[in-house]
Amino acid sequence: MMPAGTFSIPGKPVLPGQTLASGQQATLGVMGGGQLGRMFVQAAQEMGYFTAVLDPDPASPAGLVSHFHIQTPYEDEQGLAQLMQRCEAITTEFENVPSPALVTLGAHRTVAPNAKAVAIAQDRIAEKAHFVACAQGTPDSVPPAPYAAIDSAELLQAVPAELLPGVLKTARLGYDGKGQVRVKDRAELAAAWDQMGRVPCVLEKLLPLKDELSVIVARGATGQMVNLPAQRNIHRDGILAVTEVHPGNLPPALAERALRATRAIAEQLNYVGVLCVEYFVVDDGSPEGTLVVNEMAPRPHNSGHYSLNACDVSQFELQVRTMAGLPLPQPRLHSPAIMLNLLGDLWHRDSGAGGKAKAPPWLELLKLPGVHLHLYGKLSARPGRKMGHLTITGASWDTVCITALAAAELLGIDPWTPSAGAGAA
Ligand code: ADP
Ligand code: MG
């Protein structure tokens, strides 16, 4: 069914604060109502847009702060029709939005990123094939880790010995280290695949990691592309724990190479929107290590949250600008930054996972200068759940590190070794 309403003319910007011919306010929509949707909604509202969220959960973090919240399943025809009726342009905040829903929306509305790009990012097998294609024919390109796709007993048998020990990852629906198991040998591999219900998977060689990084680009419908500075990321138990951004966080040649690879990955998808690509720096004995591409997210990313406080254009504003067809100035980092994820575990420091949740000591934390607290409005603090994050900014990298380590100690986050300052040996 075609929805009533005012259709945006492709290529014509959706201007903020505009009253349309239909009498509606210019409205931007998002599929998914998690914390990424919430920060998108907040960025859109800051610029004067109305917002609409489609998420079945009545208490979804984005639904709670949006002008409109459509509470239906993602593939519900009426829900999608309502979203189209409300919105001039629609984006997505998590990669597992069913891509047929995006196809439906895309037939009538600007949808950024497009369904095809989202479908590729949803499936590790398709994603890796895209990375391999992007890496072909360019001398300086970045390949994925050695891997094999497994979707039959024959392919399981045929896995080359050099991929073991490895990491078996489900092709779909994995996140925050979920849906993956480390396997030492063929017996463990076969048992792990059985345990995963023999769904399509990839087996990746387990690599000795020296570091991890990510690059976030924003690409407009005209093909113009801008980027945030490359982020250095520390994961714990498969979940992002710390992001560091400052001029000395990574060897410049490595960061530049990752940026070029990310641009190629976005270009070859004809991507419109914000795209994050994660990389491994593999310890191969050389001083800098070798770059390997890991995975991509067709949306803003946890490793880009610092941009809200440390850049003059955040990743969420970039998402708004790309979907609305607004200009895309190159973002500038105006402060060195550290982002610390706040997982539900921090609410259970004294009582253990089964006990009563207790809020972390916010008053003590907020005494620290340069600490920016972001909480996502989630009511129950389960271990491993992303409840919020902190960004720490400051006049120098040293100051940021000292404050961030103090904040971590106060909250019960394990310390880490920060990267050296710019110009340090
Ligand atoms: P997710 O979708 O859960 O983020 P990833 O593939 O990014 O899945 O894996 C999560 C983390 O697990 C990575 O950031 C990295 O720390 C570790 N990891 C994943 N694959 C490998 C690998 N092949 N070798 C070594 N570590 C890995
Ligand atoms: Mg990852």
Side-chain angles (χ1 to χ4, degrees):
M1 188 188 69
M2 290 273 287
T6 315
F7 287 70
S8 62
I9 301 162
K12 198 172 168 218
V14 184
L15 296 175
Q18 203 185 6
T19 307
L20 305 166
S22 61
Q24 285 187 181
Q25 294 298 305
T27 303
L28 301 180
V30 59
M31 291 288 277
Q35 64 267 19
L36 297 170
R38 179 178 172 107
M39 290 182 270
F40 161 76
V41 159
Q42 289 166 337
Q45 291 179 352
E46 207 169 89
M47 293 180 80
Y49 291 101
F50 274 40
T51 59
V53 170
L54 192 149
D55 188 307
D57 178 2
S60 76
L64 289 177
V65 298
S66 180
H67 294 92
F68 306 108
H69 180 190
I70 301 161
Q71 295 173 25
T72 68
Y74 296 111
E75 280 177 299
D76 184 276
E77 245 181 64
Q78 283 190 355
L80 294 173
Q82 274 182 51
L83 189 67
M84 286 190 273
Q85 218 246 300
R86 285 277 177 220
C87 302
E88 279 57 61
I90 297 157
T91 186
T92 163
E93 65 106 43
F94 75 118
E95 59 263 55
N96 293 321
V97 166
S99 61
L102 296 181
V103 172
T104 305
L105 296 171
H108 307 291
R109 285 291 182 267
T110 301
V111 172
N114 65 55
K116 188 164 166 257
V118 175
I120 292 174
Q122 276 173 355
D123 181 335
R124 286 191 198 271
I125 299 174
E127 180 179 72
K128 287 199 192 293
H130 180 68
F131 292 156
V132 170
C134 288
Q136 261 160 14
T138 358
D140 196 24
S141 62
V142 181
Y147 76 100
I150 297 176
D151 63 3
S152 68
E154 290 70 39
L155 286 174
L156 183 79
Q157 290 298 322
V159 159
E162 63 263 27
L163 294 184
L164 292 162
V167 189
L168 184 69
K169 302 180 181 180
T170 57
R172 306 183 75 85
L173 301 174
Y175 71 99
D176 285 349
K178 295 185 181 69
Q180 54 180 274
V181 192
R182 294 186 176 200
V183 290
K184 280 199 292 292
D185 51 31
R186 283 183 188 281
E188 281 191 13
L189 170 63
W193 194 53
D194 272 345
Q195 211 169 23
M196 285 175 172
R198 300 186 156 226
V199 293
C201 284
V202 294
L203 176 69
E204 258 174 60
K205 191 177 172 64
L206 180 68
L207 300 169
L209 304 189
K210 201 178 164 73
D211 228 331
E212 296 192 54
L213 64 115
S214 57
V215 177
I216 292 170
V217 294
R219 187 171 183 272
T222 60
Q224 189 205 348
M225 216 176 329
V226 297
N227 63 281
L228 296 179
Q231 293 95 209
R232 174 181 184 235
N233 300 324
I234 299 169
H235 291 81
R236 288 179 176 149
D237 300 326
I239 308 179
L240 182 66
V242 182
T243 293
E244 296 184 353
V245 192
H246 67 110
N249 64 345
L250 294 158
L254 205 74
E256 180 55 38
R257 194 158 167 229
L259 174 59
R260 279 203 300 275
T262 308
R263 294 174 68 98
I265 288 165
E267 245 150 38
Q268 294 193 31
L269 288 169
N270 202 16
Y271 196 86
V272 177
V274 171
L275 177 76
C276 177
V277 182
E278 295 179 19
Y279 296 87
F280 296 147
V281 183
V282 180
D283 191 353
D284 60 355
S286 71
E288 289 200 350
T290 330
L291 205 57
V292 155
V293 58
N294 174 28
E295 61 170 355
M296 63 181 169
R299 50 166 173 79
H301 191 259
N302 196 166
S303 65
H305 289 355
Y306 73 94
S307 61
L308 283 166
N309 302 112
C311 294
D312 55 5
V313 186
S314 76
Q315 61 170 351
F316 301 102
E317 183 174 336
L318 290 172
Q319 185 178 22
V320 170
R321 285 175 179 254
T322 49
M323 72 193 288
L326 302 182
L328 281 180
Q330 171 63 38
R332 187 179 69 84
L333 182 78
H334 53 65
S335 169
I338 291 179
M339 189 283 306
L340 298 179
N341 259 344
L342 303 176
L343 300 183
D345 310 62
L346 305 182
W347 276 248
H348 296 278
R349 262 173 96 186
D350 306 324
S351 57
K356 202 165 171 289
K358 181 169 163 247
W362 300 136
L363 285 178
E364 288 303 306
L365 177 79
L366 292 169
K367 283 182 192 160
L368 299 172
V371 166
H372 311 268
L373 175 63
H374 298 255
L375 290 177
Y376 307 144
K378 298 181 184 177
L379 296 179
S380 114
R382 290 191 297 275
R385 191 172 196 207
K386 288 176 178 170
M387 300 299 291
H389 71 269
L390 292 184
T391 307
I392 296 97
T393 54
S396 71
W397 177 237
D398 280 353
T399 313
V400 170
C401 291
I402 291 165
T403 311
L405 287 165
E409 191 180 349
L410 206 56
L411 296 176
I413 298 172
D414 287 343
W416 71 100
T417 308
S419 48

